[in-house]
Amino acid sequence: MSMEKQREKTRKKLTSEGVDRLRDLPDDLLYYILSFLDTKYAVLTSALSKRWRFFWTSVPDLNFDRESFDKLTSFKNFVLTVLQRRQRDSKIRRFRLTSRNNVDRSFMNQVIDYALSHNTDHLFLLDPGCQCLSHPLVTSKRFYLSESFGVTALTTLHLEHCYFSDGSERTGCFDISAICPNLINLCLIHCAFGMFEVLKISGPQLVNLTLEYVCGNKLEISAPKLTFFKFIPYYSHLSVTHLPSLEHANVDIYRPYAYPRKIEVCYPNFFKLMQGIHNAQFITLNPEIIEILLNDPDVFEHQPSPFSRLKSLKLKVDHEDEPLMMPAKVMAYFFSGSPAAQLCVRCS
């Protein structure tokens, strides 16, 4: 037997054995494996064997990425075809769609309607880039919200580069928890809600909250079960009123270019924010906050410490070998209410 034929025989044997091993795995494990794949490649597994031919039609995790396609039309056609051919009774656990091109209103409405009608637990829309969309729950670029539209099954909502509006002129308060009352994880990144006077986050079940560069008039947060809060402010006025269970707070404040190193200039609501997270046990601050605090210690002179449960204050610095001398007034502000708390300095 020639060397080439021997290699071909060995390759076929290994391929067959590999498929047989996969064939013996339970469905739940196969679903778990496919959850890490882009849906485009999950569909391609249909060529492995008869068992795999329609297996992708019931995978509970869908991940559509525009970067996997050369043309936007191909991407849209693929997404809609997958949704049409899925098993109708198959629940969706995670639905993720990433597109850095403008997508039309009709396409996004079909996608979102499908995801929500199948009781999606986790919805991720990452930089979808649509200029105008009138879906009542979620859109890209224009995010129209209606309190009459309830999504009780949703436990995770992750939105990036979205614009919040109700489709009319500036209105009063909107509570995102009114349409998603069972949210456990909420992440808003580079989102704006200028059409509302107040965006309220008062999720009774909310545990993890990330707000990065959320732009608008006023943010109000009241979440009794919240344990993790990450906040990078933009131009919003933040009001934190009730976070009794807070454990971890990660705050990054960046000094705008050419701004003086004064806390009242860079972030005038700093002390209100600290008061709002006063129940936190572990607080992390970024290097620019440290730089501002070191340069402006006198502002802490008449500020009582709000922290009575603090266990650790973690300061991220640019270079770990640089000595960090915290002024006494700053130290008193953070530690006088929790004298046993530890100061940790880590390189960011």
Side-chain angles (χ1 to χ4, degrees):
M1 181 182 295
S2 67
M3 182 66 69
E4 187 62 31
K5 289 184 178 181
Q6 180 65 37
R7 287 177 179 173
E8 180 66 17
K9 183 178 180 181
T10 302
R11 185 190 68 78
K12 289 182 178 180
K13 181 179 179 181
L14 290 174
T15 302
S16 176
E17 289 177 352
V19 172
D20 286 340
R21 291 194 185 105
L22 288 173
R23 187 181 301 156
D24 294 334
L25 296 178
D27 287 356
D28 288 344
L29 183 54
L30 294 179
Y31 285 143
Y32 178 75
I33 294 171
L34 292 181
S35 71
F36 293 97
L37 295 180
D38 187 306
T39 299
K40 177 181 179 179
Y41 302 108
V43 172
L44 292 177
T45 61
S46 60
L48 289 177
S49 68
K50 289 183 178 180
R51 181 191 179 191
W52 286 82
R53 186 177 180 183
F54 300 107
F55 194 79
W56 63 270
T57 63
S58 57
V59 173
D61 296 87
L62 297 178
N63 182 15
F64 299 106
D65 192 342
R66 166 67 180 86
E67 295 296 321
S68 299
F69 296 82
D70 294 331
K71 296 180 180 180
L72 178 59
T73 53
S74 300
F75 170 67
K76 290 166 53 180
N77 290 336
F78 174 78
V79 173
L80 296 179
T81 300
V82 168
L83 300 186
Q84 291 169 2
R85 295 186 178 182
R86 276 179 52 83
Q87 294 183 16
R88 292 185 178 182
D89 58 347
S90 295
K91 187 180 183 298
I92 297 179
R93 182 173 52 200
R94 292 182 179 86
F95 190 102
R96 179 187 297 266
L97 186 142
T98 304
S99 175
R100 291 167 180 82
N101 298 84
N102 288 336
V103 288
D104 59 87
R105 179 183 305 184
S106 174
F107 171 76
M108 285 302 297
N109 275 336
Q110 290 181 69
V111 168
I112 296 168
D113 281 336
Y114 184 92
L116 298 181
S117 67
H118 285 72
N119 295 322
T120 300
D121 293 328
H122 308 276
L123 178 62
F124 300 82
L125 296 181
L126 308 180
D127 199 12
C130 181
Q131 292 301 319
C132 184
L133 191 63
S134 57
H135 194 279
L137 171 69
V138 62
T139 74
S140 13
K141 291 298 183 186
R142 290 207 174 271
F143 189 103
Y144 293 102
L145 299 169
S146 170
E147 292 191 1
S148 63
F149 191 92
V151 188
T152 58
L154 203 62
T155 59
T156 296
L157 181 61
H158 183 123
L159 301 174
E160 296 187 19
H161 298 278
C162 292
Y163 181 82
F164 291 68
S165 175
D166 66 348
S168 62
E169 297 299 324
R170 185 184 295 265
T171 58
C173 175
F174 182 84
D175 188 351
I176 196 170
S177 303
I179 59 172
C180 303
N182 292 315
L183 279 181
I184 296 175
N185 310 293
L186 176 62
C187 180
L188 304 177
I189 299 176
H190 288 287
C191 293
F193 57 96
M195 294 306 295
F196 293 107
E197 293 290 346
V198 180
L199 178 65
K200 191 175 182 180
I201 300 173
S202 60
Q205 307 300 327
L206 197 61
V207 175
N208 301 299
L209 175 62
T210 296
L211 302 175
E212 298 184 13
Y213 305 108
V214 176
C215 178
N217 303 292
K218 185 177 181 180
L219 269 169
E220 289 187 359
I221 303 173
S222 177
K225 293 185 179 181
L226 194 73
T227 61
F228 175 85
F229 179 40
K230 181 178 181 180
F231 183 59
I232 303 179
Y234 196 49
Y235 295 114
S236 305
H237 172 70
L238 178 70
S239 174
V240 181
T241 58
H242 187 56
L243 303 180
S245 304
L246 189 63
E247 296 179 3
H248 297 268
N250 191 332
V251 179
D252 289 4
I253 294 178
Y254 295 95
R255 181 171 62 93
Y257 179 74
Y259 269 43
R261 296 175 182 176
K262 297 289 184 179
I263 195 69
E264 66 269 19
V265 176
C266 297
Y267 191 65
N269 295 313
F270 176 80
F271 289 110
K272 289 184 178 180
L273 172 60
M274 293 297 104
Q275 181 62 43
I277 63 171
H278 72 275
N279 281 317
Q281 300 179 43
F282 305 91
I283 298 177
T284 301
L285 303 179
N286 72 317
E288 291 206 31
I289 296 183
I290 307 307
E291 180 183 355
I292 295 170
L293 298 184
L294 294 178
N295 193 67
D296 194 21
D298 291 340
V299 74
F300 291 87
E301 186 168 2
H302 302 294
Q303 296 288 343
S305 176
F307 305 107
S308 59
R309 301 174 59 205
L310 189 64
K311 294 181 179 180
S312 171
L313 175 64
K314 182 178 178 180
L315 307 180
K316 295 186 292 185
V317 296
D318 293 325
H319 303 286
E320 196 167 4
D321 55 346
E322 292 181 358
L324 180 65
M325 300 298 295
M326 292 286 285
K329 296 175 183 178
V330 179
M331 291 290 290
Y333 176 76
F334 284 103
F335 293 104
S336 62
S338 302
Q342 296 182 343
L343 175 64
C344 304
V345 180
R346 301 286 174 84
C347 186
S348 61

